[in-house]
Amino acid sequence: MDKDSFITEHENFILTTASRYCRRYITKSDDEWSESLIAFDHAIDTFDDSKGNFLTYARVVIEHRLTDYFRSQNRYTSEMDIEPAVFTGASEDDSETGIALRQQIAVKSSVNDENPLRDEILALTEELKKYEISFTELVSCSPKAAKTKTACRRIVAMITADEALMADFMRTGRLPGKKITEKLKIPPKILERHRKYLVTAVLIVSGEYPGLADYIGLEEL
Protein backbone atom coordinates (compact mmCIF):
# COMPACT_ATOMS: atom_id res chain seq x y z
CA MET A 1 0.00 0.00 0.00
CA ASP A 2 1.39 3.42 -0.95
CA LYS A 3 1.66 6.29 1.54
CA ASP A 4 -1.35 8.25 0.26
CA SER A 5 -3.62 5.22 0.51
CA PHE A 6 -2.29 4.41 3.96
CA ILE A 7 -3.00 7.95 5.14
CA THR A 8 -6.49 7.92 3.65
CA GLU A 9 -7.21 4.63 5.40
CA HIS A 10 -6.23 6.16 8.75
CA GLU A 11 -7.99 9.51 8.46
CA ASN A 12 -10.45 8.58 11.19
CA PHE A 13 -7.58 7.63 13.49
CA ILE A 14 -5.91 10.99 12.84
CA LEU A 15 -9.11 12.92 13.49
CA THR A 16 -9.91 10.93 16.62
CA THR A 17 -6.40 11.38 18.00
CA ALA A 18 -6.54 15.13 17.38
CA SER A 19 -10.02 15.37 18.91
CA ARG A 20 -9.01 13.54 22.06
CA TYR A 21 -5.92 15.65 22.50
CA CYS A 22 -7.66 18.96 21.78
CA ARG A 23 -10.61 18.04 23.99
CA ARG A 24 -13.05 18.98 21.24
CA TYR A 25 -14.08 17.43 17.96
CA ILE A 26 -11.78 18.21 15.06
CA THR A 27 -12.88 18.21 11.42
CA LYS A 28 -10.95 18.55 8.19
CA SER A 29 -11.78 22.23 8.11
CA ASP A 30 -9.77 22.86 11.30
CA ASP A 31 -6.10 23.87 11.40
CA GLU A 32 -5.55 21.04 13.87
CA TRP A 33 -6.42 18.55 11.13
CA SER A 34 -3.68 19.93 8.89
CA GLU A 35 -1.17 19.83 11.71
CA SER A 36 -2.15 16.28 12.61
CA LEU A 37 -1.98 15.15 9.00
CA ILE A 38 1.54 16.53 8.67
CA ALA A 39 2.50 14.78 11.88
CA PHE A 40 1.07 11.46 10.70
CA ASP A 41 2.99 11.77 7.43
CA HIS A 42 6.15 12.46 9.42
CA ALA A 43 5.45 9.46 11.64
CA ILE A 44 5.35 7.22 8.58
CA ASP A 45 8.74 8.51 7.45
CA THR A 46 10.41 8.19 10.84
CA PHE A 47 8.87 5.05 12.32
CA ASP A 48 11.18 2.21 13.25
CA ASP A 49 9.14 -1.02 13.21
CA SER A 50 11.55 -2.64 15.63
CA LYS A 51 10.46 -0.25 18.38
CA GLY A 52 6.78 -1.06 18.75
CA ASN A 53 3.32 -0.33 17.34
CA PHE A 54 3.08 2.28 14.59
CA LEU A 55 -0.25 3.78 15.66
CA THR A 56 1.01 4.25 19.20
CA TYR A 57 4.04 6.04 17.79
CA ALA A 58 1.90 8.10 15.40
CA ARG A 59 -0.37 9.19 18.24
CA VAL A 60 2.61 10.53 20.17
CA VAL A 61 3.96 12.35 17.11
CA ILE A 62 0.58 13.96 16.48
CA GLU A 63 0.25 15.06 20.10
CA HIS A 64 3.75 16.54 20.11
CA ARG A 65 3.07 18.51 16.94
CA LEU A 66 -0.24 19.80 18.31
CA THR A 67 1.52 20.84 21.50
CA ASP A 68 4.01 22.85 19.46
CA TYR A 69 1.18 24.27 17.36
CA PHE A 70 -0.75 25.50 20.39
CA ARG A 71 2.38 26.99 21.89
CA SER A 72 3.02 28.86 18.67
CA GLN A 73 -0.56 30.11 18.69
CA ASN A 74 -0.31 30.90 22.40
CA ARG A 75 -3.64 29.26 23.01
CA TYR A 76 -5.21 25.95 23.97
CA THR A 77 -8.89 25.28 23.92
CA SER A 78 -10.35 23.10 26.65
CA GLU A 79 -13.73 23.00 24.93
CA MET A 80 -15.03 19.50 24.33
CA ASP A 81 -18.32 18.54 22.69
CA ILE A 82 -18.64 15.23 24.52
CA GLU A 83 -16.19 14.36 27.25
CA PRO A 84 -15.01 10.81 27.98
CA ALA A 85 -16.70 11.32 31.36
CA VAL A 86 -19.92 10.33 29.63
CA PHE A 87 -18.53 6.81 29.46
CA THR A 88 -16.05 6.73 32.34
CA GLY A 89 -18.29 8.11 35.06
CA ALA A 90 -16.10 11.06 35.97
CA SER A 91 -19.12 13.20 36.80
CA GLU A 92 -22.46 12.74 38.48
CA ASP A 93 -25.60 12.98 36.36
CA ASP A 94 -27.24 15.68 38.49
CA SER A 95 -24.11 17.76 38.86
CA GLU A 96 -23.38 20.90 36.89
CA THR A 97 -20.93 18.93 34.77
CA GLY A 98 -23.46 16.19 34.14
CA ILE A 99 -26.03 18.70 32.94
CA ALA A 100 -23.43 20.33 30.72
CA LEU A 101 -22.52 16.99 29.21
CA ARG A 102 -26.12 16.28 28.30
CA GLN A 103 -26.31 19.67 26.62
CA GLN A 104 -23.07 18.99 24.77
CA ILE A 105 -24.42 15.68 23.48
CA ALA A 106 -27.53 17.40 22.18
CA VAL A 107 -25.46 20.02 20.40
CA LYS A 108 -23.07 17.44 19.07
CA SER A 109 -25.85 15.29 17.65
CA SER A 110 -27.48 18.19 15.83
CA VAL A 111 -24.54 19.78 14.05
CA ASN A 112 -24.45 19.61 10.26
CA ASP A 113 -20.80 20.21 9.43
CA GLU A 114 -18.34 17.44 8.77
CA ASN A 115 -17.60 15.37 11.82
CA PRO A 116 -16.25 11.80 11.89
CA LEU A 117 -18.16 10.73 15.00
CA ARG A 118 -21.51 12.46 14.47
CA ASP A 119 -22.95 9.61 12.40
CA GLU A 120 -21.74 7.05 14.93
CA ILE A 121 -23.39 8.95 17.78
CA LEU A 122 -26.66 9.28 15.91
CA ALA A 123 -26.64 5.60 14.91
CA LEU A 124 -25.81 4.47 18.45
CA THR A 125 -28.56 6.69 19.87
CA GLU A 126 -31.07 4.96 17.61
CA GLU A 127 -29.77 1.50 18.47
CA LEU A 128 -29.93 2.21 22.19
CA LYS A 129 -33.65 2.88 21.90
CA LYS A 130 -34.14 -0.85 21.33
CA TYR A 131 -32.71 -1.40 24.81
CA GLU A 132 -34.64 1.48 26.36
CA ILE A 133 -31.43 3.39 26.99
CA SER A 134 -30.90 7.10 26.45
CA PHE A 135 -27.46 8.25 25.38
CA THR A 136 -27.52 10.91 28.09
CA GLU A 137 -28.11 8.31 30.82
CA LEU A 138 -24.54 7.09 30.44
CA VAL A 139 -23.24 9.78 32.78
CA SER A 140 -25.12 8.34 35.75
CA CYS A 141 -24.77 4.63 34.98
CA SER A 142 -21.08 4.60 34.08
CA PRO A 143 -18.66 3.03 36.59
CA LYS A 144 -16.74 5.52 38.73
CA ALA A 145 -14.38 3.50 40.91
CA ALA A 146 -11.25 2.12 39.23
CA LYS A 147 -12.04 -1.41 40.43
CA THR A 148 -15.54 -1.25 38.99
CA LYS A 149 -14.28 0.11 35.68
CA THR A 150 -11.89 -2.82 35.42
CA ALA A 151 -14.70 -5.27 36.18
CA CYS A 152 -16.88 -3.70 33.50
CA ARG A 153 -14.10 -3.93 30.93
CA ARG A 154 -13.68 -7.62 31.75
CA ILE A 155 -17.40 -8.19 31.27
CA VAL A 156 -17.43 -6.42 27.91
CA ALA A 157 -14.35 -8.32 26.77
CA MET A 158 -15.88 -11.64 27.80
CA ILE A 159 -19.13 -11.07 25.94
CA THR A 160 -17.65 -9.66 22.74
CA ALA A 161 -15.04 -12.42 22.51
CA ASP A 162 -17.61 -15.22 22.73
CA GLU A 163 -19.74 -15.73 19.60
CA ALA A 164 -22.38 -17.71 21.48
CA LEU A 165 -22.74 -15.06 24.18
CA MET A 166 -22.90 -12.30 21.58
CA ALA A 167 -25.54 -14.16 19.60
CA ASP A 168 -27.60 -14.65 22.75
CA PHE A 169 -27.18 -11.01 23.72
CA MET A 170 -28.27 -9.76 20.29
CA ARG A 171 -31.27 -12.12 20.32
CA THR A 172 -32.51 -11.34 23.82
CA GLY A 173 -31.02 -7.93 24.55
CA ARG A 174 -29.96 -9.23 27.94
CA LEU A 175 -26.56 -9.64 29.53
CA PRO A 176 -25.63 -13.25 30.43
CA GLY A 177 -25.57 -12.44 34.13
CA LYS A 178 -25.23 -15.94 35.55
CA LYS A 179 -22.39 -16.90 33.20
CA ILE A 180 -20.58 -13.63 33.90
CA THR A 181 -20.76 -13.91 37.68
CA GLU A 182 -19.73 -17.57 37.62
CA LYS A 183 -16.81 -17.18 35.22
CA LEU A 184 -15.45 -13.79 36.25
CA LYS A 185 -16.46 -13.93 39.93
CA ILE A 186 -17.94 -10.46 39.63
CA PRO A 187 -20.67 -9.42 42.10
CA PRO A 188 -24.18 -9.36 40.58
CA LYS A 189 -24.66 -5.81 41.87
CA ILE A 190 -22.15 -4.53 39.32
CA LEU A 191 -24.27 -5.96 36.53
CA GLU A 192 -27.39 -4.47 38.05
CA ARG A 193 -25.98 -0.99 38.65
CA HIS A 194 -24.16 -0.65 35.36
CA ARG A 195 -26.37 -2.63 32.97
CA LYS A 196 -27.00 0.30 30.64
CA TYR A 197 -23.31 1.17 30.46
CA LEU A 198 -22.37 -2.46 29.78
CA VAL A 199 -25.00 -2.86 27.06
CA THR A 200 -23.78 0.33 25.42
CA ALA A 201 -20.13 -0.72 25.62
CA VAL A 202 -20.90 -4.13 24.12
CA LEU A 203 -22.79 -2.47 21.25
CA ILE A 204 -19.91 -0.08 20.59
CA VAL A 205 -17.21 -2.74 20.62
CA SER A 206 -19.18 -5.26 18.56
CA GLY A 207 -20.76 -2.79 16.15
CA GLU A 208 -19.71 -0.28 13.53
CA TYR A 209 -18.48 2.32 16.01
CA PRO A 210 -14.68 2.38 15.64
CA GLY A 211 -14.43 6.07 16.39
CA LEU A 212 -16.40 5.83 19.63
CA ALA A 213 -14.55 2.67 20.66
CA ASP A 214 -11.22 4.43 20.24
CA TYR A 215 -12.46 7.62 21.85
CA ILE A 216 -13.62 5.96 25.06
CA GLY A 217 -10.67 3.57 25.29
CA LEU A 218 -12.38 0.34 24.22
CA GLU A 219 -10.51 -0.11 20.95
CA GLU A 220 -8.24 -2.80 22.40
CA LEU A 221 -11.04 -5.11 23.56
Side-chain angles (χ1 to χ4, degrees):
M1 181 183 297
D2 60 47
K3 180 191 284 189
D4 289 341
S5 297
F6 185 76
I7 291 175
T8 299
E9 183 178 298
H10 289 83
E11 284 185 353
N12 189 62
F13 166 82
I14 299 170
L15 286 165
T16 301
T17 299
S19 297
R20 294 178 71 172
Y21 181 79
C22 296
R23 299 183 65 77
R24 69 181 179 86
Y25 281 92
I26 300 300
T27 73
K28 291 182 180 179
S29 62
D30 293 317
D31 291 340
E32 290 86 349
W33 156 253
S34 299
E35 295 295 325
S36 299
L37 189 61
I38 293 172
F40 190 82
D41 182 85
H42 179 67
I44 294 174
D45 293 337
T46 58
F47 177 64
D48 181 349
D49 58 11
S50 68
K51 295 185 178 181
N53 179 271
F54 169 73
L55 292 182
T56 299
Y57 173 73
R59 182 178 287 111
V60 173
V61 174
I62 290 172
E63 292 175 349
H64 283 179
R65 185 173 183 92
L66 288 173
T67 297
D68 291 341
Y69 169 73
F70 288 124
R71 285 173 179 168
S72 69
Q73 296 294 312
N74 194 29
R75 66 181 177 84
Y76 182 81
T77 178
S78 61
E79 177 185 357
M80 186 178 191
D81 287 326
I82 301 177
E83 298 189 17
V86 172
F87 298 95
T88 60
S91 62
E92 295 294 337
D93 187 46
D94 58 354
S95 67
E96 181 178 349
T97 302
I99 294 172
L101 287 173
R102 294 198 297 274
Q103 294 173 336
Q104 291 164 0
I105 292 171
V107 171
K108 172 60 185 169
S109 298
S110 64
V111 297
N112 295 315
D113 58 352
E114 180 184 9
N115 195 304
L117 296 186
R118 183 175 67 90
D119 290 342
E120 288 188 24
I121 291 172
L122 294 176
L124 179 61
T125 299
E126 286 301 311
E127 189 168 6
L128 288 175
K129 290 180 181 179
K130 302 175 186 177
Y131 301 87
E132 299 183 348
I133 299 174
S134 168
F135 198 86
T136 56
E137 290 182 278
L138 298 178
V139 173
S140 61
C141 66
S142 297
K144 297 170 179 61
K147 186 176 181 180
T148 306
K149 292 178 185 178
T150 298
C152 286
R153 287 181 64 87
R154 291 178 63 204
I155 292 171
V156 174
M158 174 184 168
I159 296 173
T160 55
D162 189 311
E163 292 185 6
L165 290 182
M166 273 302 304
D168 187 58
F169 168 75
M170 297 305 294
R171 180 177 60 83
T172 65
R174 298 178 181 176
L175 298 170
K178 185 176 180 180
K179 293 181 179 179
I180 290 172
T181 54
E182 289 180 350
K183 183 175 181 178
L184 301 181
K185 308 301 181 184
I186 290 176
K189 65 180 181 180
I190 290 181
L191 288 168
E192 297 170 4
R193 293 176 180 175
H194 305 292
R195 181 190 70 82
K196 293 181 179 181
Y197 168 84
L198 290 167
V199 168
T200 303
V202 169
L203 292 174
I204 290 175
V205 174
S206 63
E208 297 299 320
Y209 306 107
L212 285 174
D214 179 67
Y215 188 66
I216 65 176
L218 294 171
E219 71 280 5
E220 296 180 357
L221 291 182

